[in-house]
Amino acid sequence: MAHIEVVRRSMRPEEYTDLRFGWLKRHIYEDKTEITSFRIREARQTAEMQFEFYDAEPRSLRRGDLYFTPDGTAFIEADAVIPEKYIGKEIRFVLKTAAEMIVKVNGKYVGGIDPNRENLLLSPYLDSDTIHIEITAYNRSKPDDERNPESLSVRGCRQIFEGGYLAVVNDDVQSLVYDMELLLNIAKSDCSPEDYRQLINRELAHAMDLLDFDDLRNDDVKAASDYIEKHIFADQRYGGCGNVALVAHSHLDIAYYWRRIHAVQKNLRTVLIQMRLMDRYPDFRYAHTQAYTYETVEKYYPELFEELKEKIKNGQFEPVGAMYVEPDCNVPSAESLIRQCLYGQMFYRKKFGITVDTCWLPDVFGNSWILPQILKKSGVTYFVSNKMSTWNDTNRFPHNNFIWKGIDGTEIFACVPPTHFISWNMPDQIQKNWDAFQDKDTGTETLQMFGYGDGGSGVTEEMIELMHRFDKISVMPKTRHVTAHEFLSENFTDDKKLPVWDGELYLEMHRGTFTTKSEIKRWNRQLEYKFRNAEILSVCRLLRGEDYPADELRELYKKLLINQFHDILPGSHITPVCRDAIADYEEINQSLDSILNESGNTYFNTLNFTRNSLTFIENENGCVCRLGKKGFYAVPNLPGLSSGKIEKTTEEYTWLSVRDTVETPFYSIKLNPDGSICQILDKQLNRSWIKGNFNKLVLYYDYPGNYDAWDILPDYRNKQESLTITETCHLTYQDNETAEFTTVLRTEKSVWKMILRVFRQSRAIEVEHDVDWHEKHRLTKVEFSPDILTRELLCDTSAGFIKREMTKNTTWQQARFEVCHHKWFDLSETGGGVAVINNGKYGVGISDDSVSLSLLRSTIRPDPTSDMGHHAFSYLIVPHTGDAVAAGINRLAFEYNVPLLRADENLNFPVNGLYLQSLKLSEDENYIVARLSEQNGARGCLTGIGPFTLMDLLETPQRETDFYAFQPFEIITIGFQVKNTEKQTHSDIFLTKR
Amino acid sequence: MEQYINEVIRPKIQGDGGEITFDSQDGDTVTVIMQGECSKCLILDRCIAWIESQIENDLGEKVTIHAIRKKPFFWDT
């Protein structure tokens, strides 16, 4: 029989139930009394808790008036008298709005209102029949509203005030509404059994038949509820399965479609709402991340911070996260991630007396392989991060509850929940989670996070009320509401036979975030190493008896860490967020310059090995101009942690010949007119290095779509924009050490100058780019196809290297067409290879037998102005003998990124086989702490430096020793006790003469 | 006018994920390009009216803003 599509013109029973459900909701408020005394002052926030007002005095605000302005904050007040008829009843304040509001009544913080909730309970906080309402409101016209469809219609900068009311809720109607909310969700869900959905549809229709909406009587409402109880909830014949743990949280982006200054109120509103829910529902537990957000509560809302401390103490409010913020976990260096833990845990220990054992990073765009070790040594036992399960564009991540094995072999319990971290605790979301859970055979529960988020907000009364009814639904998985710690500690024990994932947690999406906002990435790299230098120099001065600027360094470091937040450093934010970040970087830079206070003509090598690579020395009398600074190239020959003079070569050398080829002591090079290189014949190794494009600049069309700043699509290589050569590559400078070849390329809108430098004393070839960039939807890469037979790309992680497969045999390999690296990548075969060392680039493209360094993007969402303007950056191309380790690429990369300091200092700290990542005064000021990393994948011994204290990354002493056998890729923290004498503070090891 | 829109109005619009750029002025009609979130805002007219009132208040000029929406390709359906 042919299928005939039947178009119904009458209402289906389910639609009639929906209609009546809407009618029922109109009766939630038993009574409403409009407050007519609202007054408003419009303002714009200019800094944390600072506002510019549009109006000198408040104006009245009446229902129907427009309120809020673009990027606006409003201060709203009203006075009212509690109607006598409300005495003895539960009174609510009702205000429907698209904005985010913190509400104070009679001086007390009573709660928050936002697009996810339109009323708050007043009664428990009232001590008088007159009320004075104070509202701080931040308008909210943000994309995450799309998760709450009802709020879409009210999105925009100028809002219509819909009035504010005192109201009394009809509890019977409200309870019936919750029942129906729950059941209708199941009835409409494809995940639920068909027969149970039929039961719900049939019985809800009967329940609604008990109501007369022309004259809704409470007894009928109760009868309808009783009917549902008896005919649906009591019916346990329909079986379900599964075990789902429900953990409440709220994802709060510190900056995204809003500035960091707004996060103070966004966070407070979120925290306040959750605390008020705890007052009403004693069984409610809520997890909250980011020590920074707690700091802002303490700083600006001290009375609420005290209340928060009480709720932490009684177990209702659960600090999770361990880190200072939820940082990007691709681009920050190992030391930055360590500081995220150090300063995060310091806060939690100091203020709440706890060490947080859960790293909570639901939204980060993939996780570096170095994390397990860093977390484990920072007091963290459990790692939670969602996106690999829900956002991967190619492969389904195979585990949810598992053990994550890090680059050094450290294992940590890891949870990648099967579904999104923002959910509103609906039965269909819970069922989908269980259905998607891939580790059912381990016998563990699956984690379901619930609560509105991105801009905070969190859990609603409705979510809790629904949760209290879940046990009545026989087809639902068994649920329990627990803390994050309860879920993790009860499900991740040694006897669960958890699967192991040994590798990075690469996110198969958001690959553009390694490159978007080039300036932010450049600053971040530069300042990470400037902090390193500032702390080392400060230790030197401390040892001479000077003060160590501990507080200043800590506060500055925290500012850098805030800007590593996962929507700041990756570049996925609106225009003002970028502006704020650059302002912060400039401030940090200036402050570090003051701390460094460089002077004189003696140079201090802060690296713990001899600097013997050709280095650019800034000098105003120098003839070379590199990245906007004058100077000269010289080989410092400075031993590690020591000082000396560096002189410019004065002897004359004949070392360069430029004809058809460029002849240097190392190479015979042929340059193309566009600055790419078509030949590098190695005179020392007697081989050629180039097979295809090499140092070839390519502009690709880059149209990823809605997630513009985030994504690069796999087919980005399909279409290129041609570059016009306006200056053919030619010799523009030559001295005793270097020669420069310059080319200028352009598109219709942008000008791209490229300078290639070859050297007398170095095998490296430096390439400097100076770009006036005005493209839209373009991705610029520089491509390298060396003549090397390899199927592996080595990438620096900042604390060891990762080998990535270049073949495209499997979908896992295909998906990794753009990866994150730090200071260098390397392609090698037996006998030699080519490394590329950068000073602020992170994206690397892998395609067939070539690799590309991603240089610039020009995205338009969220920031239509992203990356426009001037850019200057450089990298080294280093053909070498042996592999990357034998060639000392790690050393070269440190030398390229860590500047020499103009200071006359010497430290005795003879450590071999390890890199000094940081040297600082411990946070308790009792130790000089050295952080050392093994980065070549080798074992070795730390000895010959006398007795030292082994520490964890939180600077907690573990044991005293004078010998430590370290593992490949291990990060080691050791301390030397500071002796306080009358005049001097010193640690003997560093002062021992060479 | 161009300076006022770029320096006073623009940062506020950018604060909400939008973008405004001055295009031209012809008598009392000022044409601006609206991008980002503004390009798809359902209630942009309210915002435009506010900009007109701000111009009148701060510059003493009564103008009509002609707003051209420039949607990114992925919203241009």
Side-chain angles (χ1 to χ4, degrees):
Chain A
M1 193 174 74
H3 173 73
I4 299 168
E5 189 181 354
V6 177
V7 178
R8 292 186 70 103
R9 289 178 176 79
S10 56
M11 191 176 276
R12 288 184 294 117
E14 297 82 17
E15 289 170 333
Y16 188 40
T17 301
D18 277 347
L19 189 65
R20 288 185 286 180
F21 180 46
W23 295 343
L24 179 68
K25 283 197 275 191
R26 293 176 189 167
H27 296 270
I28 287 175
Y29 295 112
E30 183 178 294
D31 195 80
K32 278 166 91 173
T33 302
E34 185 168 3
I35 300 168
T36 55
S37 59
F38 282 104
R39 302 172 299 280
I40 184 170
R41 279 187 84 191
E42 304 273 13
R44 179 167 177 256
Q45 193 165 353
T46 54
E48 278 186 6
M49 305 302 268
Q50 288 178 32
F51 305 90
E52 241 170 32
F53 287 88
Y54 287 100
D55 319 304
E57 295 296 328
R59 64 178 166 86
S60 72
L61 180 66
R62 296 187 185 87
R63 186 153 42 93
D65 285 352
L66 282 174
Y67 72 149
F68 285 111
T69 55
D71 195 25
T73 299
F75 293 87
I76 302 168
E77 286 186 340
D79 292 284
V81 178
I82 306 286
E84 205 164 315
K85 59 185 174 181
Y86 290 179
I87 304 294
K89 297 187 173 180
E90 270 198 343
I91 304 162
R92 286 177 181 260
F93 174 59
V94 182
L95 199 160
K96 192 171 182 181
T97 182
E100 299 174 339
M101 299 185 166
I102 297 168
V103 183
K104 273 172 105 171
V105 170
N106 296 344
K108 292 176 195 158
Y109 287 97
V110 295
I113 283 178
D114 58 28
N116 303 314
R117 48 182 71 68
E118 65 174 31
N119 73 52
L120 54 82
L121 188 62
L122 281 182
S123 305
Y125 314 103
L126 292 181
D127 50 12
S128 153
D129 59 356
T130 59
I131 58 169
H132 176 64
I133 301 170
E134 297 166 86
I135 299 172
T136 306
Y138 170 59
N139 192 23
R140 182 173 188 272
S141 54
K142 306 304 176 303
D144 55 309
D145 290 349
E146 280 157 23
R147 301 217 176 90
N148 182 353
E150 280 183 26
S151 68
L152 270 176
S153 58
V154 292
R155 185 158 128 179
C157 297
R158 297 280 282 154
Q159 295 291 316
I160 293 173
F161 184 57
E162 296 189 33
Y165 304 84
L166 294 173
V168 173
V169 165
N170 182 323
D171 291 333
D172 293 325
V173 172
Q174 179 69 80
S175 179
L176 182 57
V177 165
Y178 289 141
D179 286 348
M180 292 193 67
E181 199 84 64
L182 175 78
L183 294 169
L184 286 172
N185 176 270
I186 298 168
K188 291 170 200 273
S189 168
D190 292 338
C191 309
S192 305
E194 182 64 32
D195 51 1
Y196 194 74
R197 292 165 62 191
Q198 283 174 3
L199 169 85
I200 291 174
N201 284 328
R202 185 180 67 238
E203 300 302 342
L204 277 188
H206 289 325
M208 287 296 96
D209 287 342
L210 298 172
L211 305 178
D212 177 359
F213 286 98
D214 290 330
D215 178 22
L216 192 71
R217 295 185 308 148
N218 239 33
D219 286 348
D220 294 344
V221 172
K222 283 180 186 166
S225 290
D226 289 345
Y227 185 90
I228 289 170
E229 193 73 43
K230 191 173 169 187
H231 291 89
I232 304 178
F233 290 150
D235 194 332
Q236 297 291 312
R237 290 173 298 177
Y238 301 84
C241 69
N243 292 291
V244 183
L246 307 174
V247 175
H249 84 136
S250 178
H251 182 58
L252 175 63
D253 288 326
I254 283 173
Y256 174 38
Y257 262 76
W258 44 86
R259 296 167 64 192
R260 171 165 55 81
I261 57 174
H262 298 124
V264 175
Q265 283 89 359
K266 278 176 174 289
N267 178 62
L268 192 275
R269 181 184 96 266
T270 307
V271 167
L272 178 59
I273 288 167
Q274 306 315 304
M275 290 204 298
R276 293 297 162 258
L277 286 172
M278 288 164 194
D279 294 343
R280 186 159 177 79
Y281 301 99
D283 66 323
F284 175 55
R285 303 283 181 271
Y286 169 81
H288 196 73
T289 60
Q290 310 190 96
Y292 165 72
T293 67
Y294 290 84
E295 270 186 7
T296 64
V297 177
E298 183 185 30
K299 185 174 177 183
Y300 296 116
Y301 303 94
E303 67 274 41
L304 285 172
F305 189 69
E306 289 308 309
E307 188 184 338
L308 178 60
K309 279 164 79 172
E310 281 306 308
K311 287 190 159 55
I312 290 170
K313 204 182 285 179
N314 72 25
Q316 287 180 292
F317 203 105
E318 182 190 21
V320 291
M323 291 176 161
Y324 189 60
V325 298
E326 291 178 27
D328 176 65
C329 287
N330 289 309
V331 175
S333 69
E335 188 60 29
S336 288
L337 293 170
I338 290 166
R339 298 299 171 106
Q340 291 282 0
C341 294
L342 176 65
Y343 297 135
Q345 296 284 36
M346 263 180 65
F347 180 85
Y348 291 130
R349 283 179 171 182
K350 190 174 172 188
K351 300 297 175 181
F352 310 135
I354 56 172
T355 302
V356 172
D357 64 1
T358 304
C359 180
W360 193 266
L361 299 169
D363 193 28
V364 305
F365 311 156
N367 296 278
S368 168
W369 206 11
I370 63 176
L371 264 177
Q373 174 178 203
I374 290 172
L375 296 175
K376 199 91 180 236
K377 289 178 176 174
S378 299
V380 174
T381 309
Y382 310 105
F383 171 80
V384 180
S385 189
N386 292 54
K387 290 198 93 155
M388 282 69 63
S389 66
T390 44
W391 291 71
N392 270 11
D393 58 17
T394 308
N395 298 286
R396 187 177 182 191
F397 189 74
H399 306 301
N400 302 114
N401 295 349
F402 60 103
I403 290 167
W404 184 21
K405 194 171 188 176
I407 189 170
D408 66 313
T410 298
E411 293 185 346
I412 190 164
F413 293 126
C415 177
V416 175
T419 50
H420 205 286
F421 51 91
I422 298 172
S423 79
W424 31 105
N425 218 16
M426 284 296 183
D428 65 331
Q429 294 172 327
I430 291 165
Q431 187 65 53
K432 278 177 190 162
N433 184 314
W434 175 253
D435 291 348
F437 182 48
Q438 295 183 89
D439 295 304
K440 294 183 178 82
D441 57 356
T442 61
T444 52
E445 290 173 300
T446 177
L447 171 60
Q448 170 79 11
M449 302 173 178
F450 70 100
Y452 287 114
D454 267 6
S457 188
V459 174
T460 61
E461 281 191 34
E462 183 188 35
M463 293 179 201
I464 298 174
E465 287 287 348
L466 262 55
M467 186 167 66
H468 287 162
R469 289 163 168 78
F470 288 162
D471 280 349
K472 297 178 177 182
I473 306 293
S474 62
V475 297
M476 273 187 70
K478 189 172 169 46
T479 62
R480 58 184 193 124
H481 174 43
V482 289
T483 62
H485 180 79
E486 282 166 343
F487 163 73
L488 293 161
S489 61
E490 290 166 23
N491 284 286
F492 290 76
T493 52
D494 292 337
D495 60 354
K496 295 287 186 196
K497 298 191 175 102
L498 294 168
V500 177
W501 180 262
D502 188 356
E504 62 182 324
L505 290 179
Y506 177 82
L507 178 66
E508 294 174 352
M509 198 164 267
H510 297 354
R511 301 167 180 94
T513 60
F514 313 144
T515 306
T516 305
K517 299 276 164 103
S518 169
E519 271 301 277
I520 286 185
K521 267 96 176 169
R522 182 187 68 77
W523 269 114
N524 183 71
R525 172 77 66 81
Q526 183 183 323
L527 291 176
E528 283 181 335
Y529 286 111
K530 199 158 195 169
F531 269 109
R532 180 187 180 281
N533 273 353
E535 288 183 335
I536 291 175
L537 202 55
S538 298
V539 165
C540 294
R541 290 167 182 160
L542 172 78
L543 294 167
R544 287 205 311 270
E546 294 180 27
D547 288 339
Y548 183 93
D551 293 340
E552 192 182 359
L553 281 167
R554 188 185 308 112
E555 291 312 306
L556 289 169
Y557 223 126
K558 283 181 176 179
K559 195 161 267 190
L560 182 73
L561 299 183
I562 292 168
N563 284 296
Q564 290 177 346
F565 181 79
H566 65 259
D567 279 316
I568 302 180
L569 186 54
S572 46
H573 51 244
I574 58 171
T575 315
V577 173
C578 186
R579 218 175 274 142
D580 287 347
I582 300 292
D584 281 350
Y585 292 138
E586 286 171 349
E587 184 192 327
I588 296 166
N589 189 47
Q590 202 172 11
S591 300
L592 290 179
D593 277 339
S594 299
I595 290 170
L596 286 165
N597 193 22
E598 291 182 77
S599 63
N601 293 318
T602 303
Y603 289 89
F604 178 38
N605 170 21
T606 64
L607 299 172
N608 63 318
F609 53 85
T610 301
R611 283 186 86 124
N612 51 18
S613 303
L614 193 72
T615 303
F616 180 73
I617 311 294
E618 273 183 47
N619 186 302
E620 57 189 21
N621 298 320
C623 296
V624 178
C625 184
R626 178 183 177 273
L627 297 171
K629 304 254 172 75
K630 281 186 168 182
F632 60 88
Y633 283 89
V635 177
N637 274 326
L638 285 176
L641 297 167
S642 68
S643 301
K645 301 276 185 195
I646 301 172
E647 302 294 346
K648 187 180 171 186
T649 310
T650 52
E651 293 164 54
E652 291 294 323
Y653 292 99
T654 305
W655 66 278
L656 183 80
S657 154
V658 182
R659 289 190 185 87
D660 289 343
T661 57
V662 177
E663 301 293 327
T664 78
F666 303 100
Y667 310 116
S668 174
I669 299 171
K670 269 190 189 170
L671 299 172
N672 288 320
D674 65 355
S676 63
I677 307 172
C678 58
Q679 173 191 296
I680 300 178
L681 291 176
D682 196 312
K683 295 176 181 173
Q684 291 185 323
L685 303 177
N686 198 26
R687 62 166 292 170
S688 167
W689 287 112
I690 296 177
K691 186 168 63 181
N693 283 342
F694 200 88
N695 195 48
K696 171 83 173 172
L697 200 66
V698 189
L699 263 72
Y700 288 111
Y701 281 58
D702 182 25
Y703 285 88
N706 198 33
Y707 282 85
D708 200 27
W710 291 263
D711 292 341
I712 295 174
L713 298 187
D715 61 357
Y716 73 89
R717 286 164 61 91
N718 286 358
K719 192 171 176 183
Q720 296 179 17
E721 168 141 8
S722 57
L723 286 152
T724 306
I725 301 167
T726 56
E727 265 186 55
T728 305
C729 190
H730 62 291
L731 181 67
T732 47
Y733 176 79
Q734 181 184 352
D735 67 16
N736 285 340
E737 295 292 350
T738 185
E740 292 183 351
F741 298 84
T742 304
T743 187
V744 180
L745 309 168
R746 66 171 307 147
T747 66
E748 196 181 335
K749 298 172 192 159
S750 305
V751 179
W752 200 296
K753 182 178 175 185
M754 196 195 305
I755 301 165
L756 281 86
R757 293 191 186 93
V758 293
F759 301 104
R760 179 179 68 86
Q761 295 193 80
S762 172
R763 292 183 59 82
I765 298 166
E766 185 174 49
V767 186
E768 178 180 334
H769 295 257
D770 190 274
V771 194
D772 190 24
W773 182 241
H774 297 282
E775 304 297 320
K776 294 291 179 210
H777 297 299
R778 295 292 179 274
L779 161 65
T780 309
K781 284 174 164 274
V782 59
E783 296 196 337
F784 300 92
S785 282
D787 190 8
I788 291 165
L789 181 64
T790 183
R791 294 169 183 91
E792 279 180 345
L793 175 73
L794 263 63
C795 293
D796 174 40
T797 66
S798 82
F801 56 81
I802 178 170
K803 290 179 184 174
R804 285 166 167 138
E805 295 163 329
M806 295 176 70
T807 46
K808 302 291 182 189
N809 298 328
T810 70
T811 55
W812 292 91
Q813 293 162 344
Q814 289 157 19
R816 297 181 187 203
F817 61 85
E818 181 84 7
V819 296
C820 184
H821 79 315
H822 277 248
K823 295 187 291 297
W824 57 268
F825 66 78
D826 183 90
L827 293 162
S828 290
E829 61 190 12
T830 303
V834 173
V836 175
I837 299 171
N838 73 80
N839 56 13
K841 298 294 173 194
Y842 294 87
V844 181
I846 305 173
S847 55
D848 305 324
D849 55 356
S850 74
V851 289
S852 56
L853 182 66
S854 297
L855 300 178
L856 282 177
R857 299 188 76 206
S858 47
T859 61
I860 60 165
R861 179 181 176 267
D863 181 358
T865 69
S866 181
D867 280 301
M868 294 300 96
H870 179 253
H871 297 270
F873 44 84
S874 63
Y875 50 82
L876 290 179
I877 303 167
V878 189
H880 58 79
T881 181
D883 61 16
V885 172
I889 297 302
N890 266 320
R891 286 189 169 210
L892 266 176
F894 269 103
E895 290 180 63
Y896 198 57
N897 279 271
V898 179
L900 288 157
L901 293 178
R902 280 186 296 115
D904 190 4
E905 302 288 350
N906 287 286
L907 287 178
N908 181 42
F909 189 50
V911 171
N912 296 315
L914 297 168
Y915 293 88
L916 182 65
Q917 292 274 7
S918 114
L919 186 70
K920 65 187 280 284
L921 185 63
S922 64
E923 297 301 320
D924 65 8
E925 303 193 356
N926 290 327
Y927 292 88
I928 290 171
V929 173
R931 186 119 45 237
L932 302 158
S933 57
E934 199 298 307
Q935 298 197 194
N936 291 330
R939 290 172 192 278
C941 299
L942 180 57
T943 187
I945 52 171
F948 53 86
T949 305
L950 274 172
M951 296 176 144
D952 63 16
L953 294 176
L954 304 182
E955 301 173 354
T956 311
Q958 309 286 304
R959 66 185 166 90
E960 304 291 319
T961 184
D962 59 2
F963 175 89
Y964 182 73
F966 57 81
Q967 310 283 314
F969 301 129
E970 186 170 357
I971 298 171
I972 304 143
T973 307
I974 57 174
F976 300 90
Q977 205 142 19
V978 170
K979 289 181 185 172
N980 289 303
T981 60
E982 208 168 294
K983 286 188 178 174
Q984 281 198 323
T985 303
H986 65 271
S987 183
D988 291 340
I989 168 65
F990 297 104
L991 295 176
T992 308
K993 286 189 180 169
R994 288 172 186 282
Chain B
M1 183 64 66
E2 183 172 1
Q3 189 182 4
Y4 178 79
I5 287 176
N6 287 342
E7 292 177 11
V8 179
I9 299 296
R10 192 177 182 212
K12 294 168 184 171
I13 300 293
Q14 288 176 331
D16 258 319
E19 176 67 307
I20 182 171
T21 43
F22 176 87
D23 180 78
S24 60
Q25 183 168 11
D26 183 7
D28 59 1
T29 300
V30 175
T31 302
V32 294
I33 312 291
M34 308 300 291
Q35 291 173 269
E37 294 298 309
C38 300
S39 70
K40 61 167 184 172
C41 179
L42 299 175
I43 52 175
L44 184 65
D45 54 331
R46 294 182 199 166
C47 194
I48 295 300
W50 177 81
I51 296 169
E52 288 169 349
S53 73
Q54 290 296 295
I55 290 170
E56 187 174 1
N57 188 61
D58 293 349
L59 303 182
E61 283 187 54
K62 206 167 172 60
V63 297
T64 302
I65 302 267
H66 173 51
I68 299 171
R69 294 173 191 253
K70 195 174 169 188
K71 281 186 182 177
F73 76 92
F74 40 83
W75 289 340
D76 191 13
T77 54

